Amino acid sequence: MGGFMPYVWVILLPLIGAVVVAITGIFREEVTGHLAAGFGIINAGLALSMIPFMKTGATARFPWLPGISDFTVVADGLGSFIAITAAVLGSLILIYSLGYMEHEHGKTRYYALVLLFIGAMSGLVLSGSLLTLYFFWETVGICSFSLIGFHYEDPKALKGAIKAFITTRLGDVGLITGILVIYFATTPHTFEISAIMENSSTISPAALSLAAFAMLLGAMGKSAQVPLHIWLPGAMEAPTSVSALIHAATMVNAGVYLVARMYPLFQNVPGWTAAVTWVGVVTLLLAALMAVTAKDIKRMLAFSTVSQLGYMFFAVGTGGILASQFHLVSHAIFKALLFLAAGALIHEAGTRDMDVLSGVSSKMPLTSAMYLIGVMGLSGIPLFSGFFSKDMIFSSALQRGAYVPLVLAVLGAILTFTYSWRSYFKVFRGKPSEVLSHAHEVGMAMRIPMVLLGIGTVTSWLTVGIQSEALEVLGEGIHAVSPLYLLEETFSSPAFLLSITALGFGTLFVIRYDQVFGWLESRAWKALSLVQREFYFEDLYGRILSLAHAVGKGFAALIEGAIAGFSVLLGRTVAFLTRCTDAMDSRLIEGSGRKVGSTVIGSAKLVKRAQTGDLNGNLVRLLIGISVILAIVLVETGGCL
């Protein structure tokens, strides 16, 4: 455990930074942004220095809860690449925020929460214990709630934060249930992931099944899979830099990580891999349809994130762990780029409505170029990272023979091409709209992160060798893949034909968008309305909440009535007992007085008679009198002398 351990410091440094920023902000809030960016940059360097440790799966262990669990940090390929992604993208988002948040209030709170978010996400994916994983899992949930509701004075932001908190809590119930089931079902009881894997044979099939599906529910909540996806579009009321952080670097990746991490334990549970596959496929398709009809550019990107996360679940379900993690990293880069470019646009235009935006490229050429690169990555243009990772997912499904889900995934790719390119042509091309009359290119602090992410969108597929070598030690059919081998394999595989087919149909739909949309409005308006209303998920949950509220009010009224009735009954009982007590006290006291008086008089006569010589009779009467007095005293004292 000695020596330099960057995999430990990549968790600790952001947490320390959050505390330092919070304290500094009390005295000088204006320096908190640069201070946070400094911590972010150093943390990114530490994260990159983890790469040599990934092949060995270096572990550090610290005492935490004696007899229950240690604080274990494991730097293997699965968690390390996500931690690197969170740290590097987090640092770029912190730099971007120097410009984006320049005129915002509450910067201390913002920067402290962002650093805490980055540190908690690294802690989550590097945890070697399910207990510490859950601790960080809830921490990222609290950070997301606080940042989504950053503008808490805005009712929409507050509503979005509450929706995110409640929806993800539903999934968290599943996660903690699964963790506890595994803990008590494993012999010996343990939260250590490696020990659980080694002793998996001691877990009963019933307990394993319950844990598998319960933890899948937890992953669905965090990664916004249908039907627990509704919180992510609502999270768009957060600052756009926060949207990039949530969608690319941190929270939503947690669910994908969880199913990939637990895949060796759950892969043989009947129906589990099929459930993961279909959750992913249904999500990627429905979310892509909702993205096509979205008018808010951030909401469109949010549905796009939900859809791409669905592809990652689909990949895990078909056994493509490398494909899933490869797509996670490539998606994180191009989605962060798209959000930051959209944020720059919104920063200048003051609106997110794509119906009133056009011609942005003439006013903001660099931002336009960066958004275009992001679109190329998202839509899967050949030689961009998104193309290689999505093609690898298709190839994994082909190898597993998952043909029906694969067809739906290809349809999702066609829709992805359609909505992404449609947003570019609609917003960035054409004549500048009136809302852009005062727009100009953003400052250097916002430009530099976008340019770096643009480069990453083109080149990040070259890291496949490092990533696959780090994941190879996990087994599960993962083999090291060099960039050259990836090129050869991609362009010679049957999956490439599917990718080209998706690009072809997507191009046709973009060119004929108005005709296709017009046909749908005239011939399939009910189906189109269903998509435009986002499949009525919001309405359904609204009715469930209304019903729950009504039931709650009825139950509360019932309880209130019962309490009121009991209070009346209790009051009447007390009044009755009071009257009885008063009567008893009156009779007892008066009677006792009379008896004591008569006894005293009798005793006097007894003495008198004793003096006259009638001793035997008088002694009997004396004993009777004493007995009466004792009886009276016992009654009055409750039997205690």
Side-chain angles (χ1 to χ4, degrees):
M1 198 174 68
F4 177 61
M5 297 181 292
Y7 44 94
V8 175
W9 282 104
V10 81
I11 301 172
L12 293 179
L13 188 65
L15 303 183
I16 295 170
V19 175
V20 172
V21 166
I23 295 173
T24 304
I26 298 173
F27 306 100
R28 293 191 62 187
E29 187 177 54
E30 67 274 11
V31 304
T32 54
H34 291 86
L35 186 61
F39 272 104
I41 292 169
I42 296 171
N43 188 56
L46 284 172
L48 290 171
S49 69
M50 291 168 53
I51 293 176
F53 295 88
M54 292 191 300
K55 294 180 183 179
T56 62
T59 302
R61 189 180 301 274
F62 306 91
W64 186 34
L65 298 173
I68 299 177
S69 177
D70 290 334
F71 190 96
T72 310
V73 181
V74 179
D76 65 5
L78 190 58
S80 295
F81 246 89
I82 302 178
I84 292 170
T85 301
V88 174
L89 295 188
S91 68
L92 294 177
I93 290 167
L94 282 167
I95 295 170
Y96 178 92
S97 299
L98 295 176
Y100 189 83
M101 300 293 291
E102 184 178 5
H103 302 294
E104 290 279 358
H105 297 291
K107 287 193 282 287
T108 299
R109 174 165 51 96
Y110 171 85
Y111 286 112
L113 283 170
V114 169
L115 284 171
L116 179 61
F117 210 165
I118 295 169
M121 186 64 192
S122 296
L124 190 160
V125 298
L126 296 176
S127 291
S129 163
L130 289 177
L131 191 60
T132 52
L133 181 150
Y134 185 75
F135 172 78
F136 286 116
W137 183 280
E138 292 297 343
T139 304
V140 298
I142 292 170
C143 291
S144 68
F145 167 77
S146 303
L147 287 169
I148 293 168
F150 180 76
H151 297 297
Y152 55 84
E153 68 281 356
D154 182 356
K156 291 189 293 184
L158 195 58
K159 180 181 178 181
I162 293 172
K163 185 188 294 184
F165 187 81
I166 293 174
T167 307
T168 54
R169 290 295 77 71
L170 293 174
D172 294 353
V173 171
L175 176 60
I176 190 62
T177 300
I179 290 174
L180 292 176
V181 168
I182 289 176
Y183 175 79
F184 287 109
T186 306
T187 303
H189 300 328
T190 180
F191 288 108
E192 296 293 321
I193 297 174
S194 59
I196 291 169
M197 299 296 180
E198 291 173 2
N199 297 289
S200 60
S201 59
T202 66
I203 305 174
S204 69
L208 199 61
S209 294
L210 176 58
F213 287 99
M215 293 181 81
L216 175 58
L217 179 64
M220 290 170 63
K222 220 62 161 184
S223 288
Q225 297 295 282
V226 172
L228 300 180
H229 68 287
I230 62 167
W231 69 268
L232 197 55
M236 293 303 95
E237 301 306 324
T240 307
S241 51
V242 171
S243 301
L245 188 69
I246 293 174
H247 286 249
T250 54
M251 183 164 162
V252 296
N253 293 331
V256 178
Y257 165 78
L258 181 65
V259 292
R261 172 63 75 190
M262 304 308 293
Y263 180 83
L265 183 64
F266 297 148
Q267 62 177 316
N268 294 320
V269 171
W272 187 78
T273 55
V276 175
T277 299
W278 281 103
V279 164
V281 167
V282 170
T283 298
L284 73 86
L285 187 57
L286 295 187
L289 286 168
M290 289 184 273
V292 169
T293 59
K295 298 181 182 298
D296 181 322
I297 190 169
K298 284 183 66 177
R299 197 169 179 86
M300 181 271 292
L301 291 174
F303 283 125
S304 171
T305 298
V306 175
S307 181
Q308 296 306 304
L309 291 167
Y311 275 103
M312 298 173 210
F313 270 72
F314 171 51
V316 173
T318 58
I321 305 299
L322 174 60
S324 172
Q325 299 305 295
F326 188 34
H327 193 59
L328 184 151
V329 173
S330 64
H331 169 262
I333 295 171
F334 64 67
K335 187 53 62 69
L337 175 60
L338 287 167
F339 266 110
L340 295 189
L345 163 62
I346 296 166
H347 187 268
E348 294 299 313
T351 181
R352 298 161 15 189
D353 188 350
M354 290 191 288
D355 284 342
V356 299
L357 287 167
S358 64
V360 175
S361 59
S362 62
K363 294 282 188 174
M364 305 172 68
L366 178 65
T367 299
S368 176
M370 294 302 103
Y371 190 89
L372 176 60
I373 291 174
V375 165
M376 289 180 175
L378 173 60
S379 61
I381 299 299
L383 299 183
F384 283 76
S385 296
F387 163 76
F388 289 107
S389 59
K390 194 172 292 185
D391 189 86
M392 189 180 289
I393 292 174
F394 291 167
S395 180
S396 173
L398 277 174
Q399 291 175 10
R400 280 295 183 98
Y403 301 121
V404 175
L406 178 58
V407 170
L408 297 178
V410 172
L411 178 57
I414 295 171
L415 294 171
T416 301
F417 188 99
T418 302
Y419 68 69
S420 58
W421 281 96
R422 174 65 179 170
S423 71
Y424 173 74
F425 286 120
K426 185 176 180 62
V427 173
F428 290 89
R429 310 302 297 177
K431 182 180 178 181
S433 54
E434 293 183 6
V435 295
L436 297 171
S437 57
H438 300 291
H440 55 80
E441 196 58 80
V442 292
M444 193 62 68
M446 297 172 69
R447 277 188 260 176
I448 291 174
M450 287 194 291
V451 171
L452 292 176
L453 288 169
I455 295 171
T457 300
V458 179
T459 63
S460 64
W461 63 273
L462 295 171
T463 65
V464 68
I466 300 172
Q467 195 169 358
S468 60
E469 287 177 9
L471 288 172
E472 188 176 21
V473 298
L474 298 176
E476 308 307 326
I478 300 173
H479 302 288
V481 177
S482 67
L484 181 59
Y485 180 82
L486 178 66
L487 282 172
E488 295 174 352
E489 184 68 19
T490 298
F491 289 108
S492 62
S493 70
F496 176 67
L497 298 177
L498 297 177
S499 298
I500 294 300
T501 300
L503 293 177
F505 278 100
T507 302
L508 180 63
F509 282 178
V510 171
I511 295 172
R512 301 292 184 183
Y513 184 86
D514 291 335
Q515 290 92 324
V516 172
F517 207 83
W519 183 87
L520 289 172
E521 286 182 326
S522 62
R523 301 293 181 87
W525 62 270
K526 288 185 178 181
L528 183 60
S529 175
L530 181 66
V531 176
Q532 290 173 332
R533 293 297 299 271
E534 297 174 3
F535 296 96
Y536 293 94
F537 280 110
E538 293 278 356
D539 296 338
L540 175 62
Y541 286 126
R543 291 184 180 182
I544 291 173
L545 289 175
S546 297
L547 178 62
H549 180 66
V551 171
K553 285 181 66 177
F555 184 71
L558 179 64
I559 296 298
E560 185 179 350
I563 292 173
F566 179 74
S567 299
V568 171
L569 177 62
L570 184 62
R572 291 178 178 176
T573 302
V574 170
F576 173 74
L577 293 175
T578 301
R579 290 195 297 270
C580 292
T581 303
D582 291 342
M584 290 177 64
D585 287 346
S586 175
R587 293 176 183 176
L588 188 58
I589 291 172
E590 291 177 2
S592 299
R594 287 194 296 269
K595 290 177 181 178
V596 170
S598 62
T599 302
V600 171
I601 293 171
S603 298
K605 290 180 179 180
L606 177 62
V607 172
K608 182 179 179 181
R609 289 177 182 176
Q611 292 174 348
T612 60
D614 189 10
L615 184 60
N616 291 333
N618 289 335
L619 284 174
V620 172
R621 291 186 181 90
L622 177 61
L623 292 174
I624 293 172
I626 292 172
S627 299
V628 171
I629 292 173
L630 287 174
I632 293 170
V633 172
L634 286 171
V635 170
E636 288 296 323
T637 61
C640 298
L641 293 176

